[in-house]
Amino acid sequence: MMEYQEHRLAIAPMMDWTDRHCRFFHRQLTRKALLYTEMVVADAVIHGARERLLGFDACEHPVALQLGGSDPAKLAEAARIGEAFGYDEINLNVGCPSDRVQSGTFGACLMKTPGLVAEGVAAMKDAVKIPVTVKCRIGVDDQDPEPALDVLADGVFAAGADALWVHARKAWLEGLSPKENRDIPPLDYARVYRLKARIPDQFIGINGGILTLEETRAHLRHVDGVMLGRAAYHTPGVLTGVDATLQEATPPDFDFAALIEIMADYAGRHIAAGGRLGHVSRHMVGLFHGLAGARRYRQILSTDANKPGAGPQVLRDAFAAVDLTSRSEAA
């Protein structure tokens, strides 16, 4: 556990959101948080366009590759490829409840086959030298979360897992959409706390519904790590206080002027390589949530940034609309 202990705060893997442009942006806001890719299916890693699927900027470190799959041999091969690309960690998805994940027999439905999850972890541990971790729910459908989570945790740690990140909700594989699965099943943080208390020598991280750094600090009194998801994406300004929180210090004033130029330069390089400004700007819309001028900022990024030929100056124009003096300290 101690080798992994530095990763006390992470930004969750989120499908269609945490792509390489999102991660680059988030890394400018926090140097310490562990970043995760979107889930990438093991078969795609093995047979697909690897640079498009796995490429990332060197500044993203520490960055983890999240894999989806259930075949131990394929997971091992995909993990080897991920390690060769330079990822700092391989994570197995045992929490996504979407239909396309279920049809591939991976994601949250693997909570029902903890032995297979352990086999996958063991195969990946044998294949790579970097940490191998698992992200799961507390249970699925009618499972009792008490034995279900214990059995899964015991199995993956016996197989050599370096950490278990737990989204503190059940997943309902039938009857709820993926979006509903992120809100409707009740949060049960106490269940994750009990798991940590039972196996104190293993790294247990918690995820689900955590909105502020104050809540993060409260969770860290019970578990080893906290994973921020939608709060990090929709209100990314909260990330500017992450590094100070981990050091138990007062957050310094954040240099937004420098951020403007870093993101404009990055967007310019992406556009020069054939990309569009919107690929980058879409992840930045919530940055100034609650500040004077934030509405105009969002309008510019939602409209002008998606016009044909839009360039980095659009980002500068959007930033200029915000009154930074109205910014309150991130909690």
Side-chain angles (χ1 to χ4, degrees), residues 43 46 58 73 91 102 135 142 165 175 179 205 215 277 294 316:
D43 276 325
I46 296 168
N91 177 269
Q102 291 185 57
K135 186 171 187 289
D142 294 322
W165 291 93
K179 182 178 184 299
E215 292 174 30
L277 179 63
R316 297 187 179 97

Side-chain angles (χ1 to χ4, degrees), residues 265-285:
D265 176 73
Y266 176 82
R269 287 185 279 121
H270 176 61
I271 293 167
R276 299 195 304 272
L277 179 63
H279 295 157
V280 177
S281 64
R282 74 185 185 97
H283 303 297
M284 302 169 62
V285 172

Side-chain angles (χ1 to χ4, degrees), residues 60-322:
E60 293 175 37
H61 291 293
V63 57
L65 170 63
Q66 188 183 64
L67 295 176
S70 58
D71 183 304
K74 290 180 179 179
L75 287 171
E77 178 61 20
R80 278 191 289 267
I81 294 168
E83 182 180 47
F85 257 78
Y87 282 96
D88 300 292
E89 171 187 323
I90 304 296
N91 177 269
L92 179 61
N93 183 318
V94 189
C96 181
S98 75
D99 292 339
R100 55 180 167 168
V101 166
Q102 291 185 57
S103 65
T105 319
F106 51 90
C109 64
L110 286 176
M111 293 289 300
K112 297 179 177 180
T113 55
L116 183 59
V117 176
E119 289 178 28
V121 169
M124 290 188 287
K125 286 293 291 184
D126 286 343
V128 301
K129 296 179 180 178
I130 57 177
V132 172
T133 67
V134 174
K135 186 171 187 289
C136 68
R137 296 284 186 124
I138 61 173
V140 294
D141 297 338
D142 294 322
Q143 281 185 331
D144 181 344
E146 293 300 325
L149 185 58
D150 280 350
V151 169
L152 182 85
D154 290 347
V156 299
F157 283 125
D162 295 277
L164 180 65
W165 291 93
V166 185
H167 186 154
R169 305 179 196 268
K170 270 190 172 186
W172 289 91
L173 303 180
E174 295 184 11
L176 293 180
S177 70
K179 182 178 184 299
E180 290 170 331
N181 262 295
R182 294 191 291 268
D183 293 301
I184 293 177
L187 286 160
D188 189 354
Y189 296 136
R191 176 64 191 96
V192 186
Y193 295 169
R194 289 194 296 276
L195 177 68
K196 175 59 187 175
R198 189 179 68 82
I199 47 176
D201 294 333
Q202 301 292 355
F203 185 103
I204 302 295
I206 198 166
N207 170 233
I210 302 166
L211 302 179
T212 69
L213 296 181
E214 182 178 4
E215 292 174 30
T216 296
R217 288 187 286 267
H219 285 299
L220 287 174
R221 292 195 285 268
H222 301 278
V223 292
D224 302 298
V226 171
M227 183 176 275
L228 298 177
R230 283 170 290 167
Y233 192 85
H234 292 306
T235 56
V238 70
L239 300 179
T240 64
V242 162
D243 297 355
T245 293
L246 294 179
Q247 297 167 358
E248 299 183 355
T250 301
D253 290 336
F254 188 80
D255 190 349
F256 284 100
L259 177 65
I260 295 168
E261 293 308 315
I262 290 170
M263 294 309 301
D265 176 73
Y266 176 82
R269 287 185 279 121
H270 176 61
I271 293 167
R276 299 195 304 272
L277 179 63
H279 295 157
V280 177
S281 64
R282 74 185 185 97
H283 303 297
M284 302 169 62
V285 172
L287 178 60
F288 295 115
H289 178 77
L291 273 66
R295 182 178 181 183
R296 178 59 183 150
Y297 168 85
R298 292 193 300 270
Q299 288 174 337
I300 293 172
L301 291 192
S302 299
T303 56
D304 294 1
N306 292 302
K307 293 179 180 177
Q313 184 59 39
V314 173
L315 298 183
R316 297 187 179 97
D317 293 343
F319 273 96
V322 180

Side-chain angles (χ1 to χ4, degrees), residues 25-46:
F25 171 52
H26 284 172
R27 180 55 73 219
Q28 309 316 309
L29 305 176
T30 166
R31 299 296 176 184
K32 299 290 186 181
L34 174 63
L35 306 182
Y36 278 82
T37 69
E38 305 169 84
M39 183 192 69
V40 186
V41 178
D43 276 325
V45 172
I46 296 168

